Amino acid sequence: WSVPQEHGGFPSTLSSRPISDDWPGYSLDLFTYPQHYYGDLEYVLIPHGIIVDRTERLAKDITQDIGDNDIVVLCVLKGGYKFCADLVEHIKNLSRNSERFISMKVDFVRLKSYHNDKSMEDMQIMGEDDLSDLRGKNVLIVEDIIGTGRTMKALLNNIEKCEPKMIKVASLLVKRTSQPDGFRPDYYGFEIPDIFVVGYALDYNEYFRDLNHICVINDQGKAKYRV
């Protein structure tokens, strides 16, 4: 890995076809999901099986780029934990079956940037006291979703002060927003419309993390779990 001059570039081979704004999704009747969420969801945007397959491909691409470098995987909590766990497991499996062994240490940072379904101007970083340990390290930040990019840029600014050797960003989802901030992760799974999604550890006020599929929450669900 070379030290990037700026964050935002990603190999064209990693770009997946965007999910269009008029994509109707999959009917909930086609899948099983927790009964306590019946009536709270609009449709399934990305089924769990597709997420698993895409994550495995991302792991392969990241492994090819890493080479023999040791890395620190910085998981952004709470929404990123499931994607991070699956991604790290796939990278470990690829490393075990390869001539190149990749040593990984996983660490965590927690960000707070949403109230209900609205993005807040101010972002809180919890666990940033430990970021000094990243000095001179190869860092892979794993996030669940990137919208405007403001949150990730703020986190990157804090990490860069610790002078890591290299930083890469992997996000499961990239959201097309009306106010993009010009940030693109180095790796991403899916580009989605500007809609609020839950499931696969993405939450709405701590609910829906136990949903395997990525779904669109309906107005009833938002009202039911609003704080």
Side-chain angles (χ1 to χ4, degrees), residues 30 32 41 45 48 50 52 62 70 108 113 121 136-137 148 151 174 182 190 196 206:
L30 297 173
T32 58
L41 302 168
L45 183 70
H48 181 251
I50 295 177
V52 172
I62 292 169
D70 294 342
F108 303 92
S113 60
E121 287 295 321
K137 305 289 181 59
T148 63
T151 300
V174 171
F190 306 92
F196 194 83
E206 298 300 326

Side-chain angles (χ1 to χ4, degrees), residues 91-109:
I91 293 174
K92 284 182 177 178
N93 288 337
L94 289 167
S95 175
R96 276 195 290 263
N97 297 317
S98 169
E99 295 178 355
R100 298 181 303 180
F101 176 74
I102 300 168
S103 175
M104 285 186 295
K105 175 190 174 186
V106 181
D107 215 334
F108 303 92
V109 64

Side-chain angles (χ1 to χ4, degrees), residues 192-206:
I192 66 170
D194 190 7
I195 51 179
F196 194 83
V197 293
V198 294
Y200 195 69
L202 283 83
D203 76 304
Y204 178 78
N205 293 327
E206 298 300 326

Side-chain angles (χ1 to χ4, degrees), residues 37-148:
Y37 295 138
Y38 284 12
D40 300 331
L41 302 168
E42 200 73 44
Y43 56 85
V44 174
L45 183 70
I46 310 173
H48 181 251
I50 295 177
I51 299 170
V52 172
D53 285 353
R54 181 66 182 137
T55 303
E56 187 173 9
R57 174 56 195 263
L58 287 175
K60 180 180 178 182
D61 294 327
I62 292 169
T63 301
Q64 289 175 342
D65 289 348
I66 288 174
D68 295 320
N69 289 290
D70 294 342
I71 59 170
V72 175
V73 177
L74 188 63
C75 175
V76 179
L77 297 174
K78 296 182 182 176
Y81 80 83
K82 191 161 181 57
F83 173 52
C84 182
D86 290 347
L87 183 67
V88 166
E89 189 61 30
H90 283 306
I91 293 174
K92 284 182 177 178
N93 288 337
L94 289 167
S95 175
R96 276 195 290 263
N97 297 317
S98 169
E99 295 178 355
R100 298 181 303 180
F101 176 74
I102 300 168
S103 175
M104 285 186 295
K105 175 190 174 186
V106 181
D107 215 334
F108 303 92
V109 64
R110 185 177 176 188
L111 308 180
K112 178 85 172 165
S113 60
Y114 272 89
H115 180 73
N116 291 322
D117 60 340
K118 303 300 181 186
S119 180
M120 301 185 297
E121 287 295 321
D122 296 325
M123 181 198 68
Q124 299 171 284
I125 302 178
M126 287 157 273
E128 60 183 325
D129 294 341
D130 299 325
L131 296 182
S132 59
D133 293 341
L134 301 178
R135 186 180 305 276
K137 305 289 181 59
N138 297 308
V139 180
L140 175 66
I141 302 172
V142 180
E143 172 70 291
D144 55 354
I145 186 167
I146 292 175
T148 63

